[in-house]
Amino acid sequence: MPIAMADFCRGSIVGVCYGRNADDLPTPDKVAQLVKLHNIRYLRIYDSNIQVLKAFANTGIELMVGVPNSDLLAFSQFQSNADSWLKNSILPYYPATKITYIAVGLEVTESPDNASALVVPAMQNVLTALKKVGLHKRIKVSSTHSLGVLSRSFPPSAGAFNSSNAFFLKPMLEFLAENQSPFMIDLYPYYAFRDSPKKISLDYALFESSSEVIDPNTGLLYTNMFDAQIDALYFALMALNFKTIKVMVTETGWPSKGSPKEKAATPDNAQTYNTNLIRHVINGTGTPAKPGEDLDVYIFSLFNENRKPGLESERNWGLFYPDKTSVYNLDFTGKGAIDMTNSTNDTNSNRTTWCIASSKASELDLQSAIDWACGPGNVDCSAIQPSQPCFEPDNLVSHASFAFNSYYQQNGATDVACSFGGNGAKVDKDPSYDNCIYTTIRGSFSTLQRDSYAGTTKPQQVTQLPLPVHRCRHIPECAHGFVVSF
């Protein structure tokens, strides 16, 4: 099958945004290891940083790269600038680093120095550069927008683009339709709720509503704000007769911490929103106006970012802390989340279980998981060193099984602590052999755990995957005015 078909006919996906507006983040190679460990397959970055592109080579992870607003003038003025950027910043790392999208410009209508007029010429020049090297079918070109591009979003059927943006939106939509590129939108139900709590219920914003909002024009029923915002965009596109353009959500999520007035910014709400979002996308239900329609979604952000200006919530959209421990637990499979802090003893309440390496795991995945468990995971892996009790048999499956189980037991023996990106498997038969003893949560309370609960170190947490986001998050001066959905 041609690569272009494999990349763009894959059904709905959930990715994560890797923002780097912080001074305490892990190095890109360590980030790549973390992302791979948690089985994240799609990642958005906001530039074309060489260290990041190198770090994700040969990982199989698909990247969306960005052209910052500061480069739009140069890219729009001269074809040679786009050609040089592609030659120097993309081609040396492609296809070892899998790049599938280029987002030219970031929420330009929200930028104080509105660069809207530059976006389409810059997109055209990037596309021309790709055509010159035969990659225009494999790497799609688009641009991201905030919901502020709409002048009206409720009811969804009345969705309409802001007329002040018509001068650049019409040629952009023609570009997207002609090249089968998606309309990229950053959606934040959190902001809509925060700014209009008397008009919007928290449950409706969190996908938890038991009641329905009816669109009086179509009779369509909405149980969550996310679907209503997506459909408002689809109706706005249809009103301009652009019926073939698909919508892609390039940022969404919920903050886990906020300023005193941001009472909804909590770990529980962030976990609820992102868990329900993932389930909604993975199940392929589509939206009321587009049932069954594929929808790609990227959750912001991989890490909390301490250099973001503004209210406290701005710095707390991450799925991970900079030390790579999880802010809260998320299940990327769409089956639900397990809070390790509340379920430490649940798994083994009736029977003892162990965690071993899955027989279906690849050697590359197992090696990455061992490296993580014996490093950042704080597992004592001395027993699988040469001449030690668990070194034989000397193979990755055996060594990974010992490391997986040690991590699993010292982190509460929960399902999430045995995920390892889908490479771990729980068993109820003791895998110990000869002098190689696989510990259990009852039989061994490790030094790490004792120190952790004594307050000398932070207990490790593992999340099966991450995912939150923001709005205008990468434009410091951007205001957070929001088009209220109803």
Side-chain angles (χ1 to χ4, degrees), residues 33-64:
Q33 190 178 42
L34 179 72
V35 166
K36 190 167 176 59
L37 174 69
H38 290 284
N39 209 27
I40 303 169
R41 298 301 182 195
Y42 308 92
L43 207 68
R44 177 189 175 190
I45 60 175
Y46 293 84
D47 51 23
S48 52
N49 181 276
I50 291 173
Q51 283 72 35
V52 174
L53 294 183
K54 282 182 177 179
F56 284 92
N58 303 310
T59 61
I61 295 162
E62 296 187 17
L63 292 188
M64 176 191 300

Side-chain angles (χ1 to χ4, degrees), residues 101-313:
Y101 291 98
I102 297 174
V104 180
L106 173 74
E107 296 186 356
V108 288
T109 59
E110 304 291 342
S111 178
D113 55 344
N114 193 322
S116 302
L118 306 176
V119 177
V120 175
M123 290 169 65
Q124 289 282 10
N125 286 345
V126 170
L127 178 65
T128 299
L130 288 169
K131 284 182 175 178
K132 289 181 179 180
V133 293
L135 292 178
H136 58 292
K137 297 290 188 184
R138 298 183 179 183
I139 301 177
K140 296 292 185 179
V141 178
S142 189
S143 182
T144 66
H145 307 277
S146 78
L147 199 63
V149 295
L150 298 184
S151 60
R152 190 170 180 182
S153 62
F154 189 84
S157 59
F161 286 107
N162 192 320
S163 59
S164 64
N165 297 323
F167 73 97
F168 93 96
L169 271 175
K170 189 172 185 296
M172 171 176 285
L173 295 176
E174 290 170 348
F175 175 97
L176 298 179
E178 181 181 348
N179 296 287
Q180 298 180 310
S181 292
F183 189 97
M184 296 177 168
I185 190 79
D186 296 343
L187 293 184
Y188 294 100
Y190 167 74
Y191 286 116
F193 168 76
R194 187 194 70 181
D195 297 340
S196 301
K198 293 182 180 179
K199 294 183 178 180
I200 300 164
S201 75
L202 180 61
D203 286 349
Y204 187 67
L206 292 173
F207 296 87
E208 295 276 284
S209 180
S210 57
S211 58
E212 297 168 324
V213 176
I214 301 174
D215 185 321
N217 300 323
T218 61
L220 295 174
L221 304 177
Y222 291 86
T223 58
N224 65 82
M225 174 169 287
F226 180 84
D227 280 355
Q229 292 179 340
I230 293 286
D231 279 356
L233 188 55
Y234 270 123
F235 278 109
L237 289 168
M238 288 189 282
L240 297 180
N241 207 31
F242 289 99
K243 299 178 180 178
T244 62
I245 297 176
K246 290 194 172 185
V247 171
M248 172 187 280
V249 179
T250 38
E251 291 182 9
T252 193
W254 201 278
S256 61
K257 185 180 179 182
S259 301
K261 71 175 185 178
E262 299 178 293
K263 298 187 185 304
T266 67
D268 283 348
N269 286 343
Q271 183 185 58
T272 297
Y273 179 85
N274 286 310
T275 297
N276 288 335
L277 171 75
I278 295 167
R279 183 183 297 120
H280 190 54
V281 172
I282 297 296
N283 287 349
T285 53
T287 64
K290 292 278 187 177
E293 181 89 2
D294 290 343
L295 181 64
D296 292 356
V297 172
Y298 287 77
I299 298 174
F300 187 94
S301 180
L302 197 57
F303 296 103
N304 283 341
E305 298 172 73
N306 67 354
R307 294 183 61 191
K308 288 190 176 299
L311 296 175
E312 183 69 16
S313 63

Side-chain angles (χ1 to χ4, degrees), residues 264-387:
T266 67
D268 283 348
N269 286 343
Q271 183 185 58
T272 297
Y273 179 85
N274 286 310
T275 297
N276 288 335
L277 171 75
I278 295 167
R279 183 183 297 120
H280 190 54
V281 172
I282 297 296
N283 287 349
T285 53
T287 64
K290 292 278 187 177
E293 181 89 2
D294 290 343
L295 181 64
D296 292 356
V297 172
Y298 287 77
I299 298 174
F300 187 94
S301 180
L302 197 57
F303 296 103
N304 283 341
E305 298 172 73
N306 67 354
R307 294 183 61 191
K308 288 190 176 299
L311 296 175
E312 183 69 16
S313 63
E314 289 300 317
R315 294 172 287 283
N316 289 281
W317 291 84
L319 301 166
F320 291 100
Y321 294 107
D323 66 1
K324 296 182 288 187
T325 57
S326 60
V327 177
Y328 51 88
N329 293 308
L330 267 182
D331 175 13
F332 205 49
T333 66
K335 295 177 181 177
I338 296 174
D339 185 348
M340 291 174 58
T341 60
N342 294 329
S343 61
T344 301
N345 297 315
D346 290 351
T347 303
N348 284 337
S349 57
N350 297 318
R351 60 189 176 90
T352 301
T353 55
W354 293 262
C355 178
I356 62 173
S358 168
S359 59
K360 298 178 181 178
S362 70
E363 290 196 352
L364 182 62
D365 286 342
L366 288 179
Q367 187 62 62
S368 296
I370 291 174
D371 292 343
W372 187 88
C374 298
N378 288 309
V379 167
D380 180 0
C381 292
S382 58
I384 55 176
Q385 300 304 310
S387 303

Side-chain angles (χ1 to χ4, degrees), residues 1-7 9:
M1 176 183 286
I3 292 179
M5 291 295 290
D7 285 350
C9 297

